[in-house]
Amino acid sequence: MLTPGGVPRHVAIIMDGNGRWAQQRHMPRYAGHRAGVGAVRRTVEACGRKGVQVLTLFAFSSENWRRPRKEVGTLMDLFLNALGSEAEKLHRNNVRLEVIGDRTAFADALQARITEVETLTAGNTGLHLVIAANYGGRWDITQAARRLGEKVAAGVLAPDAIDEKALQGELCLGRLPEPDLFIRTGGEERISNFLLWQLAYTELYFTEVLWPDFDEAELDAALAAYRCRQRRFGCTGEQVERLRNA
Ligand code: IPE
Ligand code: IPE
Ligand code: MG
């Protein structure tokens, strides 16, 4: 789905390569994460300017708890600080911030700040910025299934009313347009338990660029590649062309 000008409505990004960026410079890994915050700022601003409606950024996966405790602590501190320092600016720029993932695992101060920024920006109508933190695609599908199970147990949902639409409605991002374009920086070509259900028909784009180096020119390259794709959703190329010309 395109907004005018061929810009995808929803862009989802795995921001990878912070650690390697730092190692290449003989710096500790956290320096890469810190530099990554700059790339987040640039990308949010560029997406806002280009008319992208939803930007989902993978900041911390449910598997990233496996990293050394010190690195996890640094990432949490960065998240807390960035939410504090960027909130007013996001709000001024009409950005609506939403955090998806299991936030109950976070420290109370971080949970409180997330709620604060979500509340502050809830009425904004510009870019919808989604931060996936302690998020996992399998967790997402599991929590959706559990909620449906609860409804069945409460007698408000018949088991045979469970269809794709019902499950989708319980997923994170269920009410937003599905991602049109997925970008992964850092050279790895895998999904790493990001949006498993939601990426079913998303165009995938992988780049070697390390996340702290990602900028508007790199985003433009991804958007240009996206414009060259033909999205068929199971149809034939001829059908798609006929629909486009109708
Ligand atoms: C992505 O960068 C940030 C998070 C996963 C939080 P990495 O820290 O994974 O960087 P590399 O992949 O080790 O270079
Ligand atoms: C994916 O990156 C998670 C985030 C960017 C938040 P990882 O660096 O954790 O992914 P793997 O471990 O290489 O698959
Ligand atoms: Mg990585």
Side-chain angles (χ1 to χ4, degrees), residues 88-153:
E88 276 304 325
K89 192 165 155 220
L90 291 172
H91 188 44
R92 262 200 319 277
N93 290 331
N94 199 22
V95 174
R96 174 176 173 194
L97 183 113
E98 181 188 354
V99 175
I100 59 168
D102 181 7
R103 65 179 73 180
T104 60
F106 295 145
D108 290 346
L110 181 52
Q111 290 191 45
R113 188 157 298 170
I114 290 171
T115 307
E116 217 173 274
V117 184
E118 283 180 333
T119 308
L120 173 73
T121 62
N124 290 343
T125 54
L127 179 72
H128 190 141
L129 173 62
V130 181
I131 304 290
N134 193 21
Y135 176 86
R138 289 178 177 174
W139 165 83
D140 194 357
I141 295 169
T142 306
Q143 62 87 28
R146 189 184 311 118
R147 281 198 223 182
L148 290 176
E150 284 164 1
K151 287 185 180 173
V152 170

Side-chain angles (χ1 to χ4, degrees), residues 148-149 151-153 155-167:
L148 290 176
K151 287 185 180 173
V152 170
V156 295
L157 182 72
D160 60 8
I162 297 178
D163 55 10
E164 289 186 13
K165 193 159 165 269
L167 187 74

Side-chain angles (χ1 to χ4, degrees), residues 16-17 20 67 184:
D16 196 21
R20 282 163 285 163
R67 294 192 178 197
R184 182 173 187 146

Side-chain angles (χ1 to χ4, degrees), residues 15-20 29 33 59-60 64 67 71 75:
M15 312 184 286
D16 196 21
N18 295 350
R20 282 163 285 163
R29 291 179 59 87
H33 297 312
F60 191 87
N64 286 146
R67 294 192 178 197
E71 179 165 346
L75 284 165

